[in-house]
């Protein structure tokens, strides 16, 4: 696993871009779910208005990143080993940030589910 994280070959960098995109989509899905429970609110000031409109949210959180990451993936074909190495650091950092965000979402989902179950038992 450590070798994969350190590796900055074109293939591994592209895989990490795919992982970044999957984490981004999961972030959107968890956020959308949590917001729809009515127990949570968006704390990202840039996303508050966007998340209240499903079409805008899908465009900004799903489609735009897909095109940007596809563009980067194509551009990486002509990147030097040094450029791939630098890009690898940034992509790894973004993946770690998204993993922390997803861990938070999972925790909140568990708490929301527990609260819903608790409320149904009491009612």
């Amino acid at each position: 696993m450590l070798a994969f994280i350190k590796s900055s070959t074109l293939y591994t960098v592209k895989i990490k871009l795919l992982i970044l995109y999957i984490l981004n989509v999961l972030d959107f899905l968890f956020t959308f779910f949590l917001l729809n429970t009515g127990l949570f609110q968006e704390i990202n000031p840039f996303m508050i208005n966007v998340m209240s409109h499903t079409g805008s949210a899908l465009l900004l959180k799903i489609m735009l990143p897909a095109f940007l990451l596809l563009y980067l993936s194509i551009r990486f074909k002509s990147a030097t080993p040094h450029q791939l190495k630098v890009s690898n650091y940034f992509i790894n950092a973004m993946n770690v940030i998204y993993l922390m965000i997803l861990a938070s979402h999972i925790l909140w989902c568990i708490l929301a589910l527990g609260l819903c179950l608790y409320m149904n038992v009491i009612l």
Side-chain angles (χ1 to χ4, degrees):
M1 182 67 161
L2 188 58
F4 175 74
I5 292 170
K6 288 182 176 183
S7 176
S8 59
T9 65
L10 178 61
Y11 176 76
T12 57
V13 169
K14 284 185 173 186
I15 294 295
K16 291 172 191 176
L17 279 178
L18 178 62
I19 292 168
L20 181 61
Y21 181 70
I22 291 168
L23 292 173
N24 177 63
V25 170
L26 289 172
D27 172 44
F28 169 75
L29 293 174
F30 276 110
T31 300
F32 193 75
F33 168 77
L34 288 168
L35 291 175
N36 284 324
T37 65
L39 300 171
F40 300 90
Q41 57 184 326
E42 177 65 60
I43 61 170
N44 181 344
F46 300 110
M47 294 301 293
I48 290 172
N49 291 331
V50 173
M51 289 304 290
S52 61
H53 301 93
T54 306
S56 300
L58 284 171
L59 182 66
L60 190 63
K61 288 293 287 178
I62 304 296
M63 299 304 293
L64 182 62
F67 288 121
L68 290 174
L69 293 177
L70 180 62
Y71 173 75
L72 280 176
S73 180
I74 293 167
R75 291 283 304 194
F76 282 151
K77 289 178 184 176
S78 61
T80 65
H82 176 72
Q83 290 170 326
L84 286 172
K85 187 174 185 176
V86 171
S87 298
N88 185 54
Y89 288 130
F90 284 106
I91 295 168
N92 282 337
M94 288 304 303
N95 282 336
V96 167
I97 290 168
Y98 263 113
L99 283 171
M100 291 188 307
I101 291 169
L102 285 175
S104 170
H105 284 333
I106 291 168
L107 175 64
W108 285 117
C109 284
I110 291 168
L111 292 173
L113 179 61
L115 180 62
C116 290
L117 293 173
Y118 177 74
M119 295 299 284
N120 285 336
V121 170
I122 289 183
L123 297 175

